[in-house]
Amino acid sequence: SGAPYYKASRAEKYLYHEPDCQDGVPRWVLAVKMPDVKKTRDLDGDGSCDYIGQFQSQDTSHPPAAGEWTMLCDGVYEKQYLILLEGTSTTTTTLAKASTSTTTSRKAGEGDATEEFGDVYGTKTTTTTKNTKTSLMLGGACPYKAALNGLTFDVVGTAADGSPIYKARGIDEYIYHDADCDGAGVVTAPRWVFDNSKPSSTATKDLDGDGKCNYHARIDSSLAGTSRPP
């Protein structure tokens, strides 16, 4: 199906998308058996729909960041609200410059000979680059904004001041740093804001361009810094 599957780092526990365990209902499952990535249904091959936990979903791109799962708890299936926190991932790319050999030959009559030169640069050059990005999950919103709880935000760009811009997955909600939210200098405290308007990556103030300081929430960056929200 193209869906990713996950394995617990210290146990034989798996998280994957099951298109059809036996009942025709697609779902994300927590299981003790490794899924067969070549199969299109009943990926654990047990002929049943018994799992540690399951969450019905047709979305195969990733498991839900938060939601109500059906969990097997002490032999009884119960509804449990689970939150999947996404950790920091680091990608390392190593580029190595291969050794180069050059061979030259002199013509006959000039003293037939062949000379081979080794690595032109004398040493092997290796460059390693790392790319680290951290996703954020929102929790603790007030009851009026409760629908925002569980949103996962990924870095999608950089603002003019170098701070990261985050966007929620699947919805237009943003977290970004704004040095002057109304652009008029009335509000002088730079702050991180949580907003449903897409911020400009080139503006140095009033990044959403509304001339106001209207948003879901804010925190002064004097308390948090500009490298990332608290």
Side-chain angles (χ1 to χ4, degrees), residues 71-226:
M71 300 286 297
L72 184 61
C73 302
D74 196 21
V76 179
Y77 282 102
E78 300 178 358
K79 296 293 185 180
Q80 297 289 335
Y81 192 85
L82 300 185
I83 296 176
L84 300 177
L85 298 177
E86 195 163 3
T88 301
S89 61
T90 301
T91 301
T92 302
T93 304
T94 301
L95 304 175
K97 184 180 291 182
S99 297
T100 303
S101 296
T102 303
T103 302
T104 62
S105 298
R106 290 197 293 272
K107 295 180 180 179
E110 297 180 353
D112 293 339
T114 298
E115 296 176 320
E116 182 172 276
F117 297 84
D119 188 345
V120 172
Y121 300 102
T123 59
K124 182 178 180 180
T125 302
T126 300
T127 302
T128 301
T129 59
K130 290 187 177 182
N131 181 22
T132 303
K133 292 184 178 181
T134 303
S135 298
L136 305 175
M137 174 176 282
L138 179 70
C142 63
Y144 184 71
K145 302 281 187 178
L148 301 173
N149 286 325
L151 291 180
T152 299
F153 291 78
D154 300 309
V155 177
V156 295
T158 304
D161 65 358
S163 60
I165 296 173
Y166 297 82
K167 181 185 179 299
R169 296 177 182 176
I171 188 172
D172 286 329
E173 299 289 352
Y174 300 87
I175 298 174
Y176 58 92
H177 184 262
D178 200 329
D180 181 358
C181 56
D182 62 4
V186 176
V187 179
T188 57
R191 57 192 53 173
W192 284 94
V193 300
F194 177 22
D195 195 5
N196 59 9
S197 297
K198 183 178 180 179
S200 168
S201 60
T202 57
T204 58
K205 57 184 179 180
D206 189 20
L207 272 60
D208 63 359
D210 65 354
K212 303 176 182 178
C213 293
N214 290 334
Y215 28 68
H216 297 306
R218 72 173 190 265
I219 183 171
D220 290 353
S221 57
S222 60
L223 303 175
T226 61

